[in-house]
Amino acid sequence: MKSLTILRHAKSGWDVAVERDFDRPINARGRRGAELIGQYVKRHAMPVDRIVASPAVRVTETLDIFQPAAGLDAIEPVWDRRIYLASAATLIDVLRDTGRDAAHLLISGHNPGLEDLALMLAPEEGGGNLRAAVEEKLPTSALVRLELDIADWQDLDVNQARITAFVRPRDLDPALAPAMDDD
């Protein structure tokens, strides 16, 4: 059994002038959202033993806040450029490359790839309310937890997962809704 945690980057600052989208930082609402989601992970003792992430600034800044709040600051993320604005198919390739030793993997990156990944891995039939909520929208700083009955990440395929948790910053602090989702 493996678990996959999908963490979308925090709300980014569109008002900051940057030359490249890759360099866009998170904003104050994003910092609060990343901290709340990290605290949620710690409170619920969600294990994570490896992190793979996009090296985009908004993801690195998200993890800089999320990891200490989650009690995961001892884990050095594996920065993988393929995750930046990747399709779900590319993200599956990234996950397959992680090997068998990571039992509890966290991937952090961008939409629409991460939302599509969750929906590809969890079958529509029998997906329940959590899958329906993810299908509605995977907002910034949102976290999706999936369980997979595989021994090695190389065996990862579509329709193999069960969503066990879906949490958004606004679920933890109603003051973060709905503007946090406007991205």
Side-chain angles (χ1 to χ4, degrees), residues 99-110:
R100 73 170 20 151
D101 61 324
H104 307 286
L105 184 60
L106 183 144
I107 186 168
S108 185
H110 315 268

Side-chain angles (χ1 to χ4, degrees), residues 7 30 51 53 69 95 102 106 112 157:
L7 175 67
I51 297 171
L95 295 171
L106 183 144
D157 208 350

Side-chain angles (χ1 to χ4, degrees), residues 20 31 57 78 101 143 156:
R20 306 178 311 160
R31 287 188 289 279
V57 170
V78 174
D101 61 324
L143 178 142
L156 182 65

